[in-house]
Amino acid sequence: MPFALPGFFRTLGADLDFSSAFLYVAADDSADLASILAGTYDFTTVGAINGTIVVATEEGTYSAGISLDATTTYDLYSQGVSNSHNGFMDTPVGYAIFPSPLSDGEIAQAEAHFVAEGAAPKSAFGSVTNFTDGWRNCRTIATFPLIDTSSADSFFRTWNSCESLISFPELDSSSVTSYRQAWQNCSSLTSFPLINTSSGTDFRNTWQSCSSLTSFPLIDTSSGTNFSQTWYNCTSLTSFPLINTSLGENFFYSWGNCSSLTSFPAINTSSATAMRLTWFGCTSLTSFPLLDTSLVQDFRNTWHNCSSLTSFPANFFDNWSPASLISQVFNLTWDGCTSLTAQSVENILTSLDTSGVYGTNTGASGGTQLSDSTIDIDYDGTTLSGATTTAIASLKLKDWAISINSVIQ
């Protein structure tokens, strides 16, 4: 039931006059609350709103900045409480939306009003352990408050798709182990705080498509094992810190499409087994560091379309000794790397030859030959060295095929 009711908020006390508020719904509006819980409570804005929302539930009460477009219909349930209906804040007690920001004092009094009507206070968040889906798809929240998350062990999808979120506080995340999809698609975030992530093990998709982030803090990822798509599509990142990834095993698409990265640090990848598409589409990278990839079994598309990459280090694969190999292990690995120099091609192929790994399922002589054992490399087309030719001949004897600029050698 769309509506626009400016001035509907009642006065909360002698010192407060919220007659300019846009919307107010509270516990005694039982029919409206039933509609909210059913996810069918719609409202339509009159003008654009860049103000404050107060959200009161039986699980906790908080206030946040909110940004709404003019003459647009919104579902109230998703304005401050996840519309996935899977979050922990499932029992609203009241809402208030103000067209302008409230002062700290006004926020405190508004929150106290709802607590008096049966909502839990903000401090109640301190006992919550699982924040899964808490504010997922709350697409109009612009700023998030500093709430107590000291007991939290999971931030799974907590702020996923909060597309208007422009700032985030340094919450207490010292006990959190899962950050999976926590800030995925928070496309308006321009910076991120140095939160305590020392307990985190699962960072899958955590900041995926945070496309406005230009830099990233040196967070503690020393316990992280899964970095699949963690920073995928962070297209505005120009630099990246030397984070601790020593336990990281899965780097699938980790920095894929980070198209503004111009350099990359020598992170510790000694535990990595999967590096498919890890730096795919990093079109601004010009050089690459010497990393330990000795256990990696899958390099498919790893540097695919790194079109500005000119320099690839020597000795990169000298100690490569994977437990097993998948078919297509080097499929399109350097495809589209049209700026690679002839020296870089030499560095890649001579190092692969030095490793002694065969193009078989075990990586050893006598194993079953891979159905696709082609090593795909594109480069700038300049004359290849004699050392490269020698490495190609030796690799072919080790059950590898080599494709350079789409030509099988």
Side-chain angles (χ1 to χ4, degrees), residues 53-388:
I53 185 170
V54 181
V55 180
T57 74
E58 292 183 4
E59 295 77 25
T61 299
Y62 75 97
S63 301
I66 193 169
S67 178
L68 304 173
D69 294 330
T71 60
T72 302
T73 299
Y74 293 95
D75 171 15
L76 185 56
Y77 199 95
S78 63
Q79 310 312 310
V81 176
S82 169
N83 65 359
S84 66
H85 295 268
N86 294 318
F88 67 93
M89 293 187 297
D90 282 335
T91 316
V93 172
Y95 287 81
I97 295 177
F98 301 82
S100 300
L102 296 183
S103 68
D104 291 344
E106 290 171 329
I107 287 173
Q109 291 185 65
E111 290 178 356
H113 169 76
F114 284 119
V115 170
E117 292 195 348
K122 183 184 292 185
S123 59
F125 290 122
S127 63
V128 177
T129 58
N130 190 340
F131 281 84
T132 294
D133 287 323
W135 290 271
R136 182 185 178 193
N137 290 325
C138 294
R139 301 180 187 275
T140 57
I141 287 183
T143 59
F144 196 79
L146 185 63
I147 60 173
D148 185 353
T149 54
S150 57
S151 298
D153 58 30
S154 176
F155 280 165
F156 178 39
R157 294 188 308 220
T158 304
W159 298 275
N160 186 300
S161 297
C162 288
E163 297 172 350
S164 297
L165 193 62
I166 58 175
S167 64
F168 199 81
E170 193 169 336
L171 298 180
D172 184 343
S173 52
S174 55
S175 299
V176 175
T177 57
S178 176
Y179 291 91
R180 185 180 178 187
Q181 300 181 34
W183 296 277
Q184 182 180 3
N185 295 323
C186 288
S187 54
S188 295
L189 275 179
T190 57
S191 62
F192 197 80
L194 187 63
I195 61 174
N196 184 343
T197 54
S198 57
S199 295
T201 58
D202 188 352
F203 289 93
R204 282 176 289 176
N205 311 82
T206 304
W207 295 277
Q208 178 183 333
S209 296
C210 287
S211 53
S212 295
L213 283 178
T214 57
S215 62
F216 200 78
L218 185 62
I219 59 172
D220 184 346
T221 52
S222 57
S223 298
T225 59
N226 197 329
F227 294 94
S228 174
Q229 302 182 76
T230 305
W231 296 275
Y232 169 56
N233 213 32
C234 287
T235 53
S236 295
L237 277 181
T238 58
S239 62
F240 200 80
L242 185 63
I243 59 172
N244 186 337
T245 53
S246 58
L247 298 182
E249 299 173 2
N250 187 348
F251 289 91
F252 172 65
Y253 247 136
S254 298
W255 296 275
N257 280 345
C258 287
S259 54
S260 296
L261 276 179
T262 57
S263 63
F264 197 79
I267 60 173
N268 185 338
T269 52
S270 57
S271 298
T273 58
M275 279 192 164
R276 185 182 181 191
L277 292 153
T278 306
W279 294 277
F280 169 85
C282 288
T283 53
S284 296
L285 278 181
T286 58
S287 62
F288 203 78
L290 183 63
L291 302 182
D292 182 350
T293 57
S294 54
L295 302 181
V296 175
Q297 301 167 311
D298 184 0
F299 285 104
R300 286 175 292 172
N301 307 80
T302 303
W303 296 277
H304 188 180
N305 281 345
C306 288
S307 54
S308 297
L309 188 63
T310 60
S311 175
F312 198 86
N315 311 117
F316 194 89
F317 298 99
D318 286 9
N319 299 313
W320 188 40
S321 54
S324 62
L325 293 176
I326 67 160
S327 183
Q328 298 186 327
V329 58
F330 287 112
N331 183 54
L332 302 177
T333 302
W334 293 275
D335 184 72
C337 294
T338 52
S339 296
L340 274 180
T341 63
Q343 182 62 59
S344 291
V345 177
E346 177 184 319
N347 292 345
I348 293 167
L349 294 178
T350 57
S351 185
L352 283 171
D353 187 38
T354 298
S355 73
V357 177
Y358 281 67
T360 65
N361 63 334
T362 63
S365 176
T368 302
Q369 185 165 3
L370 301 175
S371 58
D372 183 349
S373 60
T374 304
I375 302 167
D376 290 324
I377 305 174
D378 284 345
Y379 84 114
D380 65 9
T382 54
T383 303
L384 294 173
S385 67
T388 301

